[in-house]
Each structure stands twice: as structure tokens, then as C-alpha cells.
Amino acid sequence: MGPLSGITVLDLSSYIAGPYGCTLLADLGADVIKIEAPGGDTLRKYPSTLAAESRAFLGVNRGKRGLALDLKKPEGLEVLKRLVKDADVLVHNFRPSVPPRLGVDYETLKAVNPRLVYCAMTGYGETGPLKDKAGYDQVLQAMTGICVMQGTENAPQIAYGSVVDYYAASMVAYGVSSALYQRERTGEGQYVGVSLLRSALAMQSARFIWAEGEGRDVGRDMRSGGITGLHPTKQGSLYISANTPHFWKDLCELVGLPHLAADPRYDSVRKRNQEAAVIVPAIRAALAAKTALEWETVFGERVPCAAARPVEDMFDHPQVVAEGLIDTYEHPTAGRFRGIRDPIHFSAAASERPRAAPAFGEHSSEILAEAGYSSDEISKLKSGGAIP
């Protein structure tokens, strides 16, 4: 039903970046088959307050069917090659030295299916001294300056939420979709390389600029400071963004301090940042009269703001409900739960109701039967250990 309906994706990746990139493709209508080694995706074993399944795994792998497959067994590798023959996309996050050893490198699988779009999600890329090093979100945050920017050089801070992984996942979906578009014109697939390193730097493009003649200590912080930021209220914290002249004017008027907006000492973002020690206490004293949620109502559309909420509040938020972003999923072991759906809306494509993340090997027999395996052949693969 979606823009990628009819496209088959083989997802050999684990953790977040590769798998969620494939989930985004599933959101677009692709049939994504998650292929897990006998031990399963490591994300299944992450800490979780859900007893039957990892909350992270459920959130990262929606919309897929599950196949358990041991690629280290010749029979398992042959199953993969049979699937590759009719697939459109394969995604993995092995280190560059692993695919040739397993027999799943691009050149090998290209010979099986020249139309295959082969996406490798790596930590550091395909070349260079770190190419075979395992890459992880927060390792790349520390390496690429994100932690220092969140805090300081002497007191760096992690940006929690796997921000590099999720940005890289978007790059996977973007790169694969672009390669599929090019295949429509050329008839040929290609290798697509995405890395956490490239993603971590790309997402900092606004500050990843070093002009000729600048020193190392040049200011790269994009935060405007001053009024824009989180502020305490009578109850709860409120984020305010009041950089433009009319937002600043309306903020001052609505909190009862119109004289601040009329003062030429504070008539620009730069000036307000320089005078933060004077105007921030005044604004905060005014904000103490109401709760964060009350200020949201007062400011309305005149001042961009939001009360700091826990994520639980978003399941029933009127805007989220109106956008149809929540659906109820049924899982064979985790039971019924609510989660996100359809992060992108298309006017010319209707989306199907998404499926929950698969249980380990949940659809193995179904997928093999579709690939042409008989019941006896499937039983033999299972007894031989190629299908756990």
C-alpha cells in the first residue's frame, strides 16, 4: 500500500541504526524480513521492565517478519542466497572484514542478484585505520565532539536517546530509497555505505565549519542562550523559544514585563544573551506565577513553548492522537501494547496497519515456504541447525 510496496528487504542488522533504518522502510510499505543469528539480536537482551521482550527491540523492529538463520552453516548461507535472488535490498551492520568471511559480501551477492541494493551500516566506514573497529552511538558521540558540545571539554555530557543511531537509521532509509530510485532508471543495484562516523558529523553540519584563519577556540555553539531555554515555573519546567522580535515582544507582554521589549538594550538575540544575568531572573520571577501547563495555554500560538513532559504523556496527547501516530500492536509473547506508526504521511499512498516486531524466528517456516522450500526441506534445515 505504501510507496515501497512490493519491495523486499533482508535485514541482517542488529542493535538500533541498521534495524531502525529497515523499520523506516517497512513504514513505507516494504516487506522487511529480519534475519537473526541463533543467539538473536543483542537488543533483545537489553534491560527492560517488560518481562517477555525488550522494550527497545519492540520499538526498533516494528513492521517486520522474523527469520532465524545460521549463516555459519553452509545450508543457512544457501537459504540466504535463495532469498537474495528475489530480494530488492539487503542491510547489515557487520564490520567490513566480516561479510567476506561469511560469504555475504557485496561482490558475492551481486553475482546472485545484480539488481540488489546492498547497504552496509558500519561504525567508521569502509576504509581507514578504524574501519574494522566496532562502532557504537555514544562512542561516536564522544569521538566527534557531541559530548563536549553538550557539556564542556572538562565535563562532557552524553546526549541520551541514541541520537546518532537514529540519525544513521534515517540515512539508511534515505540511501536505500535513493538507490532503488536509481535502479528504476539503470536496472542495476549498487553498494550503499552508511556509517555512524559520517552520520555523527553530518548531523553537526551547522557547527562543523572551520574557516581559514580561525583558531581552535572559535565559538561553535548554536544555542542562543538568554531567554531561549528551559525555565522553572510554579510547577514544572517550560521551554521557551523567543528569538524573533515578535516572539520576544509577545513574551514580555504576556508575562507582564512589556518594558523589557521596549528597551533597546535587549532588542536582539545577541544583546539578550549578553544581558542574560539581568533579564532571565526577571522573566523567571514572572513565570513563577503559573504552572508550565498554564503558561502553555497563555502563550498559545504567540510564543513557541512546551512544558517538559515525560514521554508517557505523549500517548494520549491531543496532537499525537489527531495525527494518528499511535496504534495498538499484538505480540505473541509481549501481548498488547501501544506504539508509534506512520511517521511520514503520503497523500497518494495508504498505509496498512503495521505489525509488531517479530518474536525470534516467528515467521521462519512461512518465509521459507514462500521461497519455495517444501515442508520436508524446512524440517531438514531445522534438524540440521541451519534454522534455529
Side-chain angles (χ1 to χ4, degrees), residues 104 125 128 178 189 191 195 244 315 341 362:
V104 297
S178 299
Y191 175 94
S195 77
T244 61
F315 283 89
R341 63 165 297 165
E362 179 181 352

Side-chain angles (χ1 to χ4, degrees), residues 210-220:
W210 197 333
E212 185 175 354
E214 286 185 323
R216 287 183 60 89
D217 58 349
V218 62
R220 299 180 186 274

Side-chain angles (χ1 to χ4, degrees), residues 353-387:
R353 185 172 183 179
R355 66 171 79 226
F360 179 69
E362 179 181 352
H363 306 97
S364 294
S365 296
E366 173 186 309
I367 292 166
L368 292 176
E370 291 174 358
Y373 286 91
S374 67
S375 296
D376 289 343
E377 288 173 321
I378 294 173
S379 296
K380 187 176 180 180
L381 288 168
K382 289 183 177 180
S383 63
I387 306 298

Side-chain angles (χ1 to χ4, degrees), residues 60-372:
V60 168
N61 289 281
R62 69 176 178 273
K64 304 177 185 180
R65 295 192 289 165
L67 167 64
L69 189 62
D70 190 348
L71 296 178
K72 294 181 180 179
K73 291 184 179 295
E75 301 86 353
L77 182 59
E78 285 307 310
V79 170
L80 178 67
K81 288 183 177 179
R82 186 183 292 199
L83 294 174
V84 165
K85 186 176 181 180
D86 296 319
D88 299 283
V89 179
L90 182 143
V91 178
H92 72 73
N93 64 341
F94 300 125
R95 287 173 286 175
S97 63
V98 174
R101 189 167 71 245
L102 291 177
V104 297
D105 54 289
Y106 174 57
E107 294 302 323
T108 297
L109 298 186
K110 178 183 178 182
V112 175
N113 179 0
R115 288 175 53 82
L116 183 69
V117 172
Y118 180 104
C119 180
M121 174 73 241
T122 62
Y124 300 88
E126 299 83 2
T127 59
L130 301 181
K131 68 181 181 67
D132 284 317
K133 185 177 180 179
Y136 294 93
D137 180 287
Q138 295 175 7
V139 174
L140 269 298
Q141 285 192 41
M143 176 184 179
T144 61
I146 294 175
C147 293
V148 168
M149 187 58 65
Q150 284 293 114
T152 64
E153 192 164 355
N154 294 324
Q157 297 288 327
I158 291 291
Y160 287 101
S162 302
V163 292
V164 176
D165 277 340
Y166 280 104
Y167 188 82
S170 296
M171 300 287 267
V172 167
Y174 157 64
V176 166
S177 298
S178 299
L180 287 170
Y181 176 73
Q182 186 171 5
R183 191 183 71 174
E184 290 299 303
R185 295 185 292 173
T186 66
E188 297 182 358
Q190 62 179 295
Y191 175 94
V192 177
V194 180
S195 77
L196 294 181
L197 173 61
R198 291 194 287 264
S199 299
L201 293 177
M203 66 188 289
Q204 299 183 82
S205 61
R207 58 176 172 253
F208 198 57
I209 300 291
W210 197 333
E212 185 175 354
E214 286 185 323
R216 287 183 60 89
D217 58 349
V218 62
R220 299 180 186 274
D221 192 346
M222 293 171 54
R223 290 170 287 194
S224 54
I227 295 303
T228 295
L230 280 166
H231 299 281
T233 67
K234 182 179 180 181
Q235 181 180 337
S237 295
L238 183 75
Y239 186 89
I240 296 173
S241 179
N243 289 331
T244 61
H246 66 280
F247 289 148
W248 167 242
K249 177 177 179 295
D250 286 349
L251 171 65
C252 293
E253 176 187 327
L254 292 171
V255 300
L257 300 172
H259 63 281
L260 294 181
D263 195 320
R265 293 176 296 175
Y266 316 133
D267 63 5
S268 73
V269 175
R270 180 173 296 182
K271 288 181 180 179
R272 291 195 290 275
N273 188 37
Q274 293 170 342
E275 298 294 331
V278 176
I279 59 176
V280 168
I283 294 292
R284 288 187 172 181
L287 292 174
K290 300 179 187 295
T291 69
L293 292 176
E294 289 171 337
W295 281 118
E296 272 192 346
T297 301
V298 170
F299 291 151
E301 297 181 7
R302 295 179 62 184
V303 180
C305 68
R309 294 171 167 81
V311 71
E312 289 80 7
D313 287 0
M314 300 311 295
F315 283 89
D316 299 302
H317 192 285
Q319 184 63 29
V320 174
V321 173
E323 282 283 282
L325 291 175
I326 303 295
D327 207 339
T328 299
Y329 295 82
E330 298 284 350
H331 190 271
T333 58
R336 179 177 295 182
F337 63 88
R338 288 188 293 166
I340 193 169
R341 63 165 297 165
D342 296 338
I344 300 177
H345 291 177
F346 295 91
S347 65
S351 62
E352 297 179 356
R353 185 172 183 179
R355 66 171 79 226
F360 179 69
E362 179 181 352
H363 306 97
S364 294
S365 296
E366 173 186 309
I367 292 166
L368 292 176
E370 291 174 358

